[in-house]
Amino acid sequence: MSSINVKLRVWRQAGPDVAGKLVDYALTTDSHASFLEMLDQLNRELVNKGEDAIEFDSDCREGICGMCGLVINGVAHGPSDTTTCQLHMRSYKEGDTIAIEPWQATAFPVIKDLVVDRSSFDRIQAAGGYVSVGTGSAPDANAIPIGKAVANEAMDYAQCIGCGACVAACPNASASLFVGAKISQLALMPQGQVERKERALGMVEQMDKEGFGPCSNHGECEAVCPKSIPIKVIANMKREWLKASLT
Amino acid sequence: MINLESNEPDGPIETQWERTRFKNTLVNPANKRKFNVLVVGTGLAGSSAAASLAELGYNVQSFCLQDSPRRAHSIAAQGGINAAKNYANDGDSVYRLFYDTVKGGDYRSRESNVYRLAQVSTNIIDQAAAQGIPFAREYGGTLTTRSFGGAQVSRTFYARGQTGQQLLLGAYSALMRQVHQGNVKLHTRREMMDLVVVDGKARGIVVRNLVTGAYERYWGDAVLLCTGGYGRVFYLSTNAINCNATAAWRAHKKGAAFANPCYTQIHPTCIPQAGEHQSKLTLMSESLRNDGRVWVPQKAGDTRAANDIPESERDYYLERRYPAFGNLVPRDVASRAAKQACDEGKGVNVTGRAVYLDFADAVKRMGRDGVAEKYGNLFDMYERITGDNPYRTPMKIYPASHYTMGGLWVDYNLMTTIPGLFALGEANFSDHGANRLGASALMQGLADGYFVIPYTLGDYLGKHGNDLKSVDVNDAEFGEAEEQVSGRIDKLLSNKGNKSPLDFHRELGNLMYDKCGMARNEKGLKEAIEEIPKIRDEFWKSVSVPGRKDTLNQNLAEANRVADFLELAEMLARDALNREESCGAHLREEYLTEDGEARRRDDEFSYSAAWEWKGEGEAHELHKEPLTFKYVKQTTRSYK
Ligand SMILES: Cc1cc2nc3c(=O)[nH]c(=O)nc-3n(C[C@H](O)[C@H](O)[C@H](O)COP(=O)(O)OP(=O)(O)OC[C@H]3O[C@@H](n4cnc5c(N)ncnc54)[C@H](O)[C@@H]3O)c2cc1C
Ligand code: FES
């Protein structure tokens, strides 16, 4: 176990309607620790001194729930291949300065410190991200064969964890990668065919309503996506939406 | 006085569920709208229940801790979900799944519940496939399965290594459809802090809004707790860090019996602890044991690198000790065997607390690509966390707290000992007995939510709904509950201590692993029972919770949960002490067979231990629900 010293510049904001600022902290931590464990440690020190802890979201800490998400030195999820919780301090050197900020987007208002409100994603999902099949009315699971390649491709899109890094990275704060992933998954699966048009129209309309920006093909979303959702889902989304609007 | 009437139907087990459904009182479709149902939790159990009940026409309100229902801890399940589809044509059936589950639970579950679980398992797969979940498929387009810890048939369905994620997103999408239609009202970032009981019936909850700190009151005709397990009583566990026992514990203190708290599962394949700041342990799906081989060096204290140890000097101890099941023995057997190997000094890793899980043969047999296709994302995750490449060097694994079979006692209808309060999913104690088999928790959560509660809740409301007195959130009972909750929060905030809640949580966790973990004995348990109240007193003396109550304050939330774990832990230890036998995941060192295997004592302990809260400072009272086995004969489990 080796310890390293880092300088942290952390976004502190007391609430949604007040201004925030970067606050400096120095910390000696363990290079085996994960990035969030490093923040836990800082919080523990703050709390033990009677100061307010830094609020940040996380839950599973294994890269699957999508709850964590920080902009680290300007990059959503920092240098992690996947999520912030999967980043380890061994990625940093002695003396590094690390700036930590929340997701920034109109549709993701800050609640406190590093925590933002992503309920807009839920509302987009509610606007059509499902197959309307009531409990009990499903046919036998093998009644509809689905080719292995199709199921695999659908799974590539279904893997989205809804973290919002795509929005945070996009200069336009567009949610197209998130929306495109769900539309693409269900457009591939036979079960998704019946409501294919309504889904594309409903989800895209809700996305716009929430105040997410348009996609202008910067590709930053794909670069930070922890689940490697490919940018072609956005082309799929646009095609699905266009087809649905024309007919 | 609590009533442990199981309400199991009589007659042949095969038709019990069908006859129950026929006998049930139905609620007229037009009347369903009049009933308010509070569903706490949005994991597999909660999301599927809320969606299904809303589809039926009930008025549903749904609550969760996270910012979205989709983030419930169920999302993390990797390996798969069992169902008795027999698609593999390898001899599976409802009866076999039932049999395996009762046997796997070491004869400490209720046969009728388990049989129903096996029956509805097939519907779950149909439902999930219809939601558009991309399950793994064969080239011909049909669903593929694999065999999973403890099963000799291939009945586990999966979606890459993200089965829980896909099943939860399916249930979540069904839930969001109901939200969209206005049948479910969603309340996120809310923590249930207490249950409100009126005239002996569950009639509401008090929650804390985690963003504003405001207390909110909700009334209902029934309350469903789908709040998951209490595995974080061990602090380090595979559970998500927000997993907690608070909702279940508060319900317990309001009169819901808590059953078999000592039945906790320690999962054999987790990434071992690396450092002192560690906040959780990461599970490596046990599907890895299908192709990985577990071994330790034959010689104690062998410090050579894994690849430098020749075949002849390795001990593939599971294959050696359990030739029929080999690396696929159930979790408890695998966990204990790993602990034993490490206790003998054969453990690897700097800590000496790890064993190898080796894929060299699998890579030879299937090729690197074959292995990558099956386990690629797990291997990547392992490498990300440890920095080692498992295609080249064996993984290191060690057991960790993972699942809790114990939970709120429920009858056949999933109702607790408080009328109108139901518990679903991991929060109840129902189906897994003393040990849960792999891929069975997802099955149980969804069975409870999609296919059981819609019928049994209907029966309760059909029978009692019209007689329920009308309540209002301004009633005295709501006020009292809120006062208690706010009193406690104020107490935490005004405490002028110097230790963080996390420090106490760690201390409790260490004690629990040490004295109430994989192997327990009378002396250690008695020590734990003495130690825990001391930590609890110390907590209330010197915990420090800075910040305010009217804004997001995760430390405050954590402190409140730790306070409940500190109470639950003591009950857990008492239950473990009471159970003078080794069974399921629970080994008592005093009760071993001559060759060192677990010794169950059916004559004295074939019962579920349901503990009743008797008040602060009073000892819990033990109630016993006797278990009878009419179908699966109680035999000694042998995986040799
Ligand atoms: C890493 C991991 C891998 C697993 N893999 C498998 C597998 O492959 N197969 C399998 O069958 N099982 C697996 N399991 C077990 C399985 O995932 C869980 O047992 C199951 O998902 C629990 O579902 P649940 O709906 O009961 O609870 P959870 O999914 O834990 O949901 C609990 C819900 O309750 C809410 N909640 C909790 N407390 C409160 C409160 N006080 N107020 C308001 N809301 C509250 C939470 O926000 C959440 O929404 C795994 C478990 C882990 C940890
Ligand atoms: S905490 Fe779940 S993805 Fe990071």
Side-chain angles (χ1 to χ4, degrees):
Chain A
M1 202 175 303
S2 51
S3 69
I4 60 168
N5 298 296
V6 288
K7 294 194 201 84
L8 302 169
R9 313 202 66 204
V10 184
W11 186 261
R12 304 297 311 252
Q13 182 173 341
D17 307 317
V18 293
K21 62 170 195 290
L22 286 166
V23 176
D24 292 339
Y25 302 93
L27 187 73
T28 306
T29 186
D30 158 4
S31 61
H32 281 299
S34 73
F35 194 83
L36 297 183
E37 285 163 4
M38 178 275 291
L39 286 178
D40 288 341
Q41 192 200 336
L42 174 61
N43 272 343
R44 189 160 152 233
E45 291 180 8
L46 293 178
V47 169
N48 288 352
K49 281 192 290 190
E51 292 176 30
D52 286 3
I54 300 160
E55 299 294 335
F56 63 92
D57 264 335
S58 78
D59 200 21
C60 73
R61 298 208 173 181
E62 18 190 282
I64 191 72
C65 74
M67 187 98 177
C68 67
L70 300 172
V71 174
I72 304 169
N73 288 341
V75 180
H77 291 309
S80 170
D81 296 343
T82 64
T83 51
T84 303
C85 61
Q86 293 293 285
L87 179 62
H88 283 75
M89 291 310 290
R90 57 175 169 269
S91 304
Y92 295 92
K93 304 187 302 300
E94 176 65 25
D96 275 356
T97 297
I98 309 171
I100 307 171
E101 293 164 276
W103 285 172
Q104 304 273 8
T106 323
F108 286 167
V110 170
I111 295 176
K112 189 177 178 191
D113 294 337
L114 303 168
V115 175
V116 300
D117 178 357
R118 288 172 290 200
S119 53
S120 45
F121 270 16
D122 282 335
R123 290 187 292 272
I124 296 174
Q125 182 85 23
Y130 44 74
V131 173
S132 298
V133 52
T135 302
S137 59
D140 184 89
N142 265 348
I144 307 170
I146 301 172
K148 193 180 169 114
V150 172
N152 268 337
E153 189 183 342
M155 184 63 198
D156 289 342
Y157 309 146
Q159 295 192 88
C160 168
I161 58 174
C163 62
C166 45
V167 176
C170 176
N172 304 341
S174 167
S176 296
L177 198 74
F178 167 75
V179 179
K182 187 48 70 185
I183 288 179
S184 299
Q185 174 205 339
L186 293 176
L188 269 175
M189 298 295 280
Q191 290 85 355
Q193 298 313 310
V194 177
E195 297 162 291
R196 192 165 167 174
K197 286 183 193 157
E198 294 86 335
R199 177 175 309 113
L201 293 174
M203 291 183 81
V204 170
E205 187 192 358
Q206 188 65 33
M207 168 174 78
D208 294 342
K209 240 194 244 167
E210 296 288 348
F212 292 103
C215 167
S216 42
N217 294 317
H218 286 275
E220 300 291 339
C221 53
E222 185 186 53
V224 298
C225 176
K227 293 291 148 180
S228 310
I229 308 281
I231 196 161
K232 78 171 190 214
V233 300
I234 300 183
N236 292 346
M237 175 188 82
K238 289 179 176 166
R239 200 172 48 243
E240 292 290 319
W241 181 84
L242 200 65
K243 265 203 301 202
S245 323
L246 293 177
T247 49
Chain B
M1 191 45 212
I2 63 169
N3 168 15
L4 286 192
E5 181 52 60
S6 72
N7 292 314
E8 276 176 287
D10 46 22
I13 201 162
E14 293 81 0
T15 55
Q16 280 180 344
W17 181 227
E18 199 182 330
R19 283 180 287 115
T20 302
R21 286 185 294 170
F22 181 67
K23 271 204 304 212
N24 277 354
T25 309
L26 297 178
V27 181
N28 177 320
N31 281 344
K32 291 196 177 111
R33 189 59 60 224
K34 291 193 210 145
F35 290 116
N36 228 352
V37 183
L38 307 180
V39 182
V40 189
T42 59
L44 289 177
S47 286
S48 59
S52 305
L53 293 171
E55 286 164 12
L56 285 171
Y58 294 105
N59 237 323
V60 176
Q61 309 213 50
S62 157
F63 302 82
C64 68
L65 299 170
Q66 293 81 358
D67 66 334
S68 164
R70 65 179 288 157
R71 307 204 200 281
H73 166 59
S74 295
I75 200 94
Q78 302 168 347
I81 176 166
N82 285 334
K85 281 286 198 185
N86 193 30
Y87 284 162
N89 197 30
D90 57 357
D92 201 9
S93 61
V94 166
Y95 200 88
R96 188 179 292 281
L97 177 54
F98 157 67
Y99 178 93
D100 287 354
T101 308
V102 171
K103 180 181 170 209
D106 221 2
Y107 308 95
R108 292 293 176 265
S109 50
R110 202 186 282 142
E111 279 189 331
S112 51
N113 282 57
V114 178
Y115 195 87
R116 177 180 61 192
L117 174 68
Q119 277 176 314
V120 303
S121 68
T122 59
N123 305 65
I124 296 171
I125 301 303
D126 298 342
Q127 190 66 34
Q131 291 165 345
I133 292 177
F135 282 115
R137 302 253 166 189
E138 301 289 347
Y139 283 104
T142 53
L143 293 170
T144 189
T145 49
R146 59 185 172 204
S147 71
F148 212 67
Q152 285 170 310
V153 290
S154 181
R155 62 158 77 98
T156 305
F157 294 81
Y158 61 100
R160 236 166 256 171
Q162 287 132 276
T163 316
Q165 180 198 28
Q166 293 308 311
L167 291 169
L168 182 59
L169 293 183
Y172 160 73
S173 70
L175 172 65
M176 294 315 287
R177 181 165 80 99
Q178 293 306 309
V179 170
H180 195 56
Q181 295 180 1
N183 303 326
V184 176
K185 178 126 184 41
L186 199 60
H187 307 274
T188 60
R189 294 199 194 264
R190 299 297 205 289
E191 181 146 8
M192 170 177 157
M193 306 290 281
D194 212 348
L195 178 77
V196 179
V197 178
V198 180
D199 284 352
K201 297 198 171 69
R203 295 307 306 277
I205 59 176
V206 173
V207 310
R208 188 166 166 269
N209 181 323
L210 294 172
V211 175
T212 65
Y215 304 109
E216 300 168 2
R217 307 171 181 186
Y218 298 89
W219 73 269
D221 297 290
V223 178
L224 275 47
L225 293 190
C226 314
T227 47
Y230 53 91
R232 274 180 55 84
V233 69
F234 290 93
Y235 182 59
L236 281 182
S237 81
T238 62
N239 290 11
I241 57 164
N242 287 305
C243 289
N244 71 93
T246 289
W249 189 250
R250 298 308 169 85
H252 172 60
K253 290 172 90 168
K254 283 279 166 88
F258 205 110
N260 303 331
C262 81
Y263 289 167
T264 62
Q265 181 168 70
I266 312 278
H267 194 289
T269 52
C270 303
I271 301 180
Q273 185 175 359
E276 120 187 64
H277 299 298
Q278 197 138 343
S279 57
K280 71 159 290 188
L281 296 171
T282 302
L283 174 80
M284 290 279 99
S285 166
E286 85 186 306
S287 62
L288 291 167
R289 286 198 281 140
N290 278 324
D291 292 294
R293 300 178 66 196
V294 175
W295 63 275
V296 288
Q298 272 177 6
K299 217 171 53 223
D302 191 334
T303 53
R304 287 175 291 178
N307 291 339
D308 294 340
I309 301 179
E311 264 317 294
S312 61
E313 293 173 42
R314 300 175 174 191
D315 181 8
Y316 293 89
Y317 58 86
L318 290 177
E319 296 169 22
R320 171 173 58 78
R321 287 172 60 180
Y322 309 100
F325 282 71
N327 294 297
L328 291 176
V329 290
R331 296 178 169 177
D332 57 314
V333 178
S335 290
R336 272 200 306 275
K339 178 174 187 291
Q340 223 170 340
C342 295
D343 288 346
E344 287 163 11
K346 297 175 182 166
V348 298
N349 206 13
V350 278
T351 56
R353 306 306 299 176
V355 300
Y356 289 124
L357 180 63
D358 196 334
F359 290 87
D361 286 352
V363 171
K364 258 184 237 152
R365 196 173 67 245
M366 301 190 260
R368 194 184 183 284
D369 292 348
V371 173
E373 197 197 342
K374 252 174 137 171
Y375 306 115
N377 65 327
L378 294 172
F379 276 39
D380 292 348
M381 176 152 95
Y382 182 86
E383 186 168 2
R384 222 164 24 240
I385 293 172
T386 62
D388 288 343
N389 176 344
Y391 294 102
R392 272 191 250 123
T393 52
M395 284 184 179
K396 291 177 195 134
I397 55 166
Y398 198 65
S401 163
H402 178 60
Y403 182 86
T404 52
M405 284 75 70
L408 293 175
W409 183 93
V410 290
D411 69 0
Y412 185 69
N413 299 319
L414 305 183
M415 192 157 87
T416 67
T417 54
I418 302 177
L421 179 71
F422 295 78
L424 282 67
E426 194 172 338
N428 73 26
F429 89 118
S430 73
D431 297 347
H432 308 294
N435 183 38
R436 176 177 70 84
L437 294 179
S440 294
L442 300 183
M443 169 171 75
Q444 184 225 334
L446 290 176
D448 288 358
Y450 283 135
F451 298 111
V452 179
I453 199 70
Y455 297 93
T456 59
L457 179 71
D459 184 52
Y460 172 77
L461 292 174
K463 289 201 170 78
H464 308 287
N466 291 331
D467 308 333
L468 289 173
K469 99 175 208 198
S470 74
V471 296
D472 183 276
V473 294
N474 295 316
D475 290 349
E477 290 87 347
F478 282 84
E480 280 158 26
E482 183 180 316
E483 219 163 275
Q484 269 180 19
V485 169
S486 66
R488 183 160 129 135
I489 292 289
D490 292 344
K491 192 164 161 199
L492 284 169
L493 281 172
S494 60
N495 217 38
K496 293 279 169 277
N498 56 4
K499 267 170 89 178
S500 74
L502 198 68
D503 291 327
F504 287 99
H505 201 169
R506 277 209 184 103
E507 190 179 344
L508 175 68
N510 285 339
L511 178 76
M512 297 305 282
Y513 266 114
D514 201 31
K515 310 251 187 293
C516 310
M518 271 171 279
R520 304 154 177 186
N521 58 50
E522 183 180 339
K523 181 169 163 285
L525 289 167
K526 286 190 167 153
E527 284 163 8
I529 291 168
E530 230 169 80
E531 242 355 87
I532 296 164
K534 285 191 202 148
I535 305 179
R536 202 163 55 219
D537 290 346
E538 179 63 20
F539 174 90
W540 285 107
K541 251 188 247 140
S542 54
V543 72
S544 155
V545 188
R548 306 201 319 250
K549 61 179 174 185
D550 58 350
T551 142
L552 197 63
N553 185 341
Q554 295 182 45
N555 243 300
L556 179 59
E558 161 82 357
N560 184 60
R561 295 169 194 164
V562 174
D564 287 335
F565 279 132
L566 283 165
E567 295 182 3
L568 187 151
E570 186 182 339
M571 177 183 67
L572 193 165
R574 285 188 191 280
D575 185 43
L577 182 66
N578 171 66
R579 196 159 279 279
E580 294 179 333
E581 64 165 347
S582 294
C583 84
H586 160 121
L587 188 94
R588 270 292 290 272
E589 286 164 355
E590 300 93 330
Y591 304 95
L592 296 178
T593 60
E594 272 163 18
D595 50 358
E597 299 293 334
R599 183 157 70 88
R600 230 176 44 224
R601 295 173 66 205
D602 291 338
D603 290 346
E604 285 177 75
F605 289 96
S606 283
Y607 65 79
S608 292
W611 298 88
E612 181 186 1
W613 174 261
K614 303 296 277 186
E616 300 293 344
E618 304 290 320
H620 272 85
E621 183 177 342
L622 172 63
H623 301 269
K624 299 177 182 177
E625 181 198 340
L627 298 169
T628 48
F629 295 87
K630 294 193 196 132
Y631 293 86
V632 188
K633 225 173 102 243
Q634 281 177 300
T635 53
T636 302
R637 281 191 313 164
S638 171
Y639 293 93
K640 298 220 164 202

